[in-house]
Amino acid sequence: MNVRRWPVQLFKEPAWAKQEPTYRECAPALIEAAGKRASARPSGNWFVIGASREVRADRPFGSTVGGHELVAWRGEDGEVRIGPGACPHLGAPLADARIDRGGLVCRWHGLRLDGTRCGTWSPVPAHDDGVLVWARLDALGGEPPSDRPVVPERPAGGPSIDAVATLTGTCEPEDVVANRLDPWHGAWFHPYSFSRLRVLETPDGTEGSDRFLVEVTFRLAGRAGVPVHAEFLCPEPRTVVMRIVEGEGVGSVVETHATPLGPGLDGQPRTAVIEATIAASERPGFALAAKLAPAIRPLMRHTAARLWRDDLAYAERRYALRSG
């Protein structure tokens, strides 16, 4: 396909059952090996907890990572603060606290926390990359800590639109990563979004070549779509990045972050899929679209959530089979 022409093109495709099977190329050992190499990369003990827009100065944001209850908010300086989600007095949920002059005020007895140590309550390192907020949990990560998380390369300069979708599945982060390292399933499992998918390059395990390169058409409606070349990379154990390298929106990325939440009431593990889509384009009209970002973001989140409702079924099935 020619990915350099007008971005939206009409295309022909066979009926779903008559498209070329991909199971011969999709070697389980290849996906497993790529996942193991990803798991060996350093993370510095950083975990994504949510979107930057979700962490505000007027109300606390509660989350759980690896069974650790956390609360996040912004101080008067706009910086993110993160700490344990239980009040050090009697354990009240600080996600229900109120913010006053940049500090948390517990609703049970009025204990104020300004983001510094208070008795047994101690803040954890936080990082806001402008799209996502990360927390560093050294006891959970068990690695040598780093000052900053491994944030993937994003579109540089010019206007962009970002949106973050979050879903939860009964699986572990490695199952989410394995799903994203299987590009062959795209046109079969998501025919409403992808067509004419062909894997052009797979990792061979050598330094600098650990990527999947895919030719695919993103379906817009009917037989109209946008053909691109995209690469899939794992910069750290719990992150898979899809980046457009040729075609419309070069440099645009979809970051899939898998954050372990801990066990559910049934004892099974829960994992949050926090997916950030950062779209960019050099076309003049995109600058106008970027100004309409608040209206576009819900559509971007809806699209991501639709894909991940299917892909979480994949990840959950993988977990169920390997946990036996």
Side-chain angles (χ1 to χ4, degrees), residues 88-202:
H89 175 224
L90 285 177
L94 292 176
D96 294 338
R98 295 182 180 175
I99 296 180
D100 175 70
R101 291 171 290 151
L104 285 184
V105 180
C106 178
R107 292 180 63 241
W108 280 18
H109 301 94
L111 177 66
R112 175 182 289 272
L113 298 167
D114 62 5
T116 60
R117 187 177 182 88
C118 177
T120 59
W121 192 95
S122 183
V124 302
H127 180 79
D128 180 1
D129 65 30
V131 177
L132 299 168
V133 168
W134 307 65
R136 199 184 81 194
L137 303 174
D138 294 336
L140 177 62
E143 300 177 20
S146 63
D147 292 337
R148 296 166 61 89
V150 181
V151 179
E153 181 183 349
R154 292 171 176 167
S160 64
I161 306 174
D162 64 88
V164 179
T166 301
L167 293 89
T168 300
T170 303
C171 59
E172 295 178 325
E174 69 172 85
D175 303 298
V176 173
V177 171
N179 169 271
R180 298 302 274 166
L181 295 181
D182 169 16
W184 293 275
H185 78 271
W188 286 100
F189 206 35
H190 309 293
Y192 48 82
S193 291
F194 306 116
S195 181
R196 301 193 301 173
L197 188 151
R198 187 162 61 101
V199 178
L200 306 176
E201 178 185 314
T202 59

Side-chain angles (χ1 to χ4, degrees), residues 1-9 155 159 216-218 220 225-230 242-254 278-287 289:
M1 73 179 84
N2 185 346
V3 297
R4 299 184 180 276
R5 296 181 298 174
W6 180 250
V8 179
Q9 299 178 25
V216 63
T217 294
F218 292 108
L220 296 180
V226 179
V228 301
H229 289 172
M242 186 209 74
R243 178 178 292 105
I244 296 177
V245 296
E246 189 174 351
E248 178 64 17
V250 167
S252 298
V253 297
V254 177
I278 302 130
S281 175
E282 295 180 353
R283 294 185 181 274
F286 188 81

Side-chain angles (χ1 to χ4, degrees), residues 27-67:
L30 179 63
I31 298 172
E32 191 75 16
K36 286 183 177 179
R37 289 193 296 274
S39 68
R41 296 188 180 109
S43 72
N45 302 326
W46 290 94
F47 298 82
V48 173
I49 66 165
S52 293
R53 290 184 186 86
E54 292 180 295
V55 181
R56 298 167 42 167
D58 60 345
R59 66 187 185 202
F61 174 80
S63 66
T64 300
V65 179

Side-chain angles (χ1 to χ4, degrees), residues 8 47 68 72 75 83 211 247 307:
V8 179
F47 298 82
H68 299 268
R211 73 167 184 170
L307 285 168

